[in-house]
Every structure is written in structure tokens, then in C-alpha cells.
């Protein structure tokens, strides 16, 4: 699937962009399905939690409860000072997470793709385990910023094996908040680790290496259908979307079963709901 040159580039830079990976009809199906999930989402579901507990704990609970389910999350700037949505619900959702790849037939079909299995294998994932899926909307005008981070912070294993598969579902540009990366930055250390202990979450500082200067970051503009693959240690961020167009993307986070997945990672599976690969 991948050329030797693409594999070399992944080793050297920590990422590759594969153009035209997914056909337009598959993307259209995924986008339509995401729209249906948002339509069916009753904001009161999450608001019930938010009004009865303090904000930080409430949002943690809504997040932690989405580990092996399907939940919608609002953009931070979705609400006005009166607590009402500033725009239609469909334009207010930040993302859907985190187990659509196993629970939703359309997302499942998109994920279980022989071409994707081959790409993962070529990137060194011999026994892939897909822990998480996210549908990210990056809404026009209010699409939130995601600061510098490494995805291995959330999917720690020994040794680190997490690899991110990031599908552009619309053209991602500098204007609408594309990814920015530090080429080669995956050779640096893991800076922090996100730990779960029951209902409590903490961020553990591991290394004081500073985040790259924004001026050294490289934008990964992508066309709808392109696939960006990146190493779990690659520092990356995305800017807010102040443009009038959305920037939908779909991501999968995948480790290798030959590495030891940390029992302290926030997503765990058991025998009733085992973690699966691309088959
Ligand atoms: Fe990330």
C-alpha cells in the first residue's frame, strides 16, 4: 500500500499525507451519518449533568462517560452569555466521540477498510487496536483551537505505538483550521500523560521540553479524501476556525497489541467489548 518512500518519510518526519485515500461517496455517507447523530442528540442530555454539578466535574463526567459510547460535545463558544445557543445545534457541535468505529454501522464500515489495514501494517502496526474515533466539526466562526499536544499523552503504551489516522472530510486550509505539526518532533520525549482513576482525571508532567515555537510549525493543508497519518509523539495543534466554512475531519487512534497498553489510559475495554483492529 505505502511506497518505501512514504515509509521513510513517516520515519523521518513523523507524518505522511496520503492524497485521495477515501472516495467521495464514503465521505458523503460519513458526513450524512454524523449529521443524523447530531440531529438525534438532545442537548438536555448533557445539560442535565451540567446543571447539577460544578462545571469542571460535569464536563469531565460527560467526557469520561463517552469512552465506549457515542456522545456529542459542544464548541466552547457555542453559547451566548444567556446560556442559549448562538446558532443552530448542527453548527454548535465540536465533535462526536469516542466509539463510533465499533458501535455505529456507517462509521464501522468506514473504519474496517482493507486499504486502511494495509496502510497501518506498513506503518508498523502489526496487531492494530483501534481505541478511539472522533468526528471533528471545527465549525465556521467558532471552531475551537486545539493547543500543542502529543496524542500519546492520551494513549500511552510501552513502548509507545499509538498512531493517528486523520481523514480530511472537507478541504482543510490555513483559513479554516488545518493541522500544524513539528516535522521530526516525534523523536522528542513524551511531555505529559493523561491519567484516569475512576471518575478522576489528572495530567501528569513527564518532561519539561517546551512546545515548539509556532513560527517553526508546518501547516498540513489537505483535500477532502486525503489521509494524514502521524506518530503518537508528533507535536501538533490546530488554530481556531474564524472562517465561514467548516473543517470536518474524522480520526482514529490505534496502538499495537504487541506493546503494553497502560491500564491508566482513559479508555479501557473488557471482554464484553473487546478492542478490535481493522478486520
Ligand atoms: Fe491530537
Amino acid at each position: 500500500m505505502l511506497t518505501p518512500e512514504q515509509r521513510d518519510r513517516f520515519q523521518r518526519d513523523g507524518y505522511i499525507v496520503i492524497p485521495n485515500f477515501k472516495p467521495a461517496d464514503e465521505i458523503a455517507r460519513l458526513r450524512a451519518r454524523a449529521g443524523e447523530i447530531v440531529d438525534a442528540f438532545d442537548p438536555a442530555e448533557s445539560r442535565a449533568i451540567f446543571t447539577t454539578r460544578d462545571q469542571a466535574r460535569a464536563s469531565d463526567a460527560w467526557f469520561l462517560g463517552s469512552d465506549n459510547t457515542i456522545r456529542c460535545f459542544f464548541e466552547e463558544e457555542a453559547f451566548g452569555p444567556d446560556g442559549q445557543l448562538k446558532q443552530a445545534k448542527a453548527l454548535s457541535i465540536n465533535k462526536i466521540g469516542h466509539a463510533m468505529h465499533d458501535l455505529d454501522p456507517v462509521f464501522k464500515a468506514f473504519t474496517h477498510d482493507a486499504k486502511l489495514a494495509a496502510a497501518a501494517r506498513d506503518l508498523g502496526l502489526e496487531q492494530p487496536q483501534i481505541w478511539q474515533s472522533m468526528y471533528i466539526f471545527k465549525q465556521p466562526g467558532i471552531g475551537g483551537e486545539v493547543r500543542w499536544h502529543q496524542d500519546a499523552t492520551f494513549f500511552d503504551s510501552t513502548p509507545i505505538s499509538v498512531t493517528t489516522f486523520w481523514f480530511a472530510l472537507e478541504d482543510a486550509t490555513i483559513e479554516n483550521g488545518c493541522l500544524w505539526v513539528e516535522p521530526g518532533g516525534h523523536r522528542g520525549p513524551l511531555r505529559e500523560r493523561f491519567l484516569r482513576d475512576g471518575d478522576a482525571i489528572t495530567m501528569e508532567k513527564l518532561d519539561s521540553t517546551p512546545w515548539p515555537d509556532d513560527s517553526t510549525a508546518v501547516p498540513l493543508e489537505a483535500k477532502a479524501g486525503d489521509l494524514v497519518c502521524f506518530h503518537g509523539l508528533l507535536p501538533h495543534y490546530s488554530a481556531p476556525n474564524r472562517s465561514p466554512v467548516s473543517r470536518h475531519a474524522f480520526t482514529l487512534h490505534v496502538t499495537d497489541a504487541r506493546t503494553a497498553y497502560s491500564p491508566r489510559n482513559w479508555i479501557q475495554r473488557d471482554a464484553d467489548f473487546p478492542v478490535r483492529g481493522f478486520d
Side-chain angles (χ1 to χ4, degrees):
M1 160 71 215
L2 299 183
T3 65
E5 201 224 338
Q6 284 174 312
R7 282 188 256 187
D8 289 349
R9 217 180 313 144
F10 185 82
Q11 296 297 327
R12 187 192 66 204
D13 297 337
Y15 68 93
I16 47 169
V17 182
I18 310 176
N20 299 314
F21 191 88
K22 282 286 195 182
D25 61 329
E26 276 194 56
I27 289 177
R29 270 200 291 279
L30 204 72
R31 292 189 58 175
R33 183 64 193 131
E36 288 171 8
I37 292 172
V38 169
D39 275 351
F41 168 61
D42 175 4
E45 256 181 84
S46 60
R47 211 168 288 153
I49 298 183
F50 280 76
T51 49
T52 52
R53 305 171 64 172
D54 75 79
Q55 286 292 318
R57 279 189 55 205
S59 82
D60 288 355
W62 185 249
F63 172 75
L64 289 173
S66 73
D67 51 357
N68 294 321
T69 58
I70 301 176
R71 286 185 172 182
C72 294
F73 296 81
F74 284 108
E75 293 280 4
E76 261 180 50
E77 297 176 28
F79 298 93
D82 57 355
Q84 298 300 309
L85 284 178
K86 291 192 283 188
Q87 55 289 301
K89 182 178 67 172
L91 291 173
S92 303
I93 302 295
N94 167 282
K95 68 172 176 182
I96 309 172
H98 289 94
M100 297 86 78
H101 60 294
D102 278 329
L103 295 175
D104 183 272
V106 177
F107 280 88
K108 207 169 175 174
F110 189 94
T111 301
H112 295 280
D113 169 342
K115 222 167 94 178
L116 195 48
R121 196 169 48 240
D122 288 349
L123 293 175
L125 295 164
E126 267 184 41
Q127 292 173 37
Q129 296 188 308
I130 312 167
W131 292 97
Q132 169 179 276
S133 46
M134 290 194 287
Y135 189 105
I136 302 160
F137 291 88
K138 203 73 146 177
Q139 300 284 6
I142 58 165
E145 159 184 52
V146 180
R147 299 185 151 281
W148 281 109
H149 66 281
Q150 296 161 299
D151 289 353
T153 288
F154 302 92
F155 297 95
D156 187 30
S157 66
T158 309
I160 285 168
S161 62
V162 68
T163 304
T164 304
F165 295 84
W166 191 103
F167 301 87
L169 305 177
E170 294 183 290
D171 295 351
T173 65
I174 290 176
E175 288 71 36
N176 70 1
C178 69
L179 284 173
W180 292 75
V181 301
E182 180 200 9
H186 63 302
R187 289 190 289 270
L190 182 60
R191 290 163 176 80
E192 48 196 12
R193 195 156 49 186
F194 184 79
L195 302 171
R196 177 178 192 166
D197 183 10
D199 292 339
I201 46 184
T202 49
M203 192 65 97
E204 179 189 28
K205 196 84 195 155
L206 298 174
D207 191 283
S208 59
T209 301
W211 294 110
D213 190 280
D214 283 6
S215 65
T216 65
V218 168
L220 295 190
E221 294 196 300
K223 290 275 175 210
D226 294 355
L227 168 61
V228 182
C229 307
F230 58 93
H231 191 284
L233 286 175
L234 185 76
H236 59 285
Y237 79 92
S238 66
N241 182 7
R242 300 298 178 209
S243 85
V245 288
S246 54
R247 194 226 66 191
H248 292 196
F250 177 61
T251 67
L252 295 169
H253 286 93
V254 184
T255 64
D256 192 318
R258 297 171 305 165
T259 64
Y261 185 79
S262 170
R264 301 172 79 189
N265 287 336
W266 81 281
I267 297 181
Q268 302 290 329
R269 293 286 185 90
D270 57 25
D272 292 339
F273 192 36
V275 64
R276 296 180 54 194
F278 291 102
D279 313 320

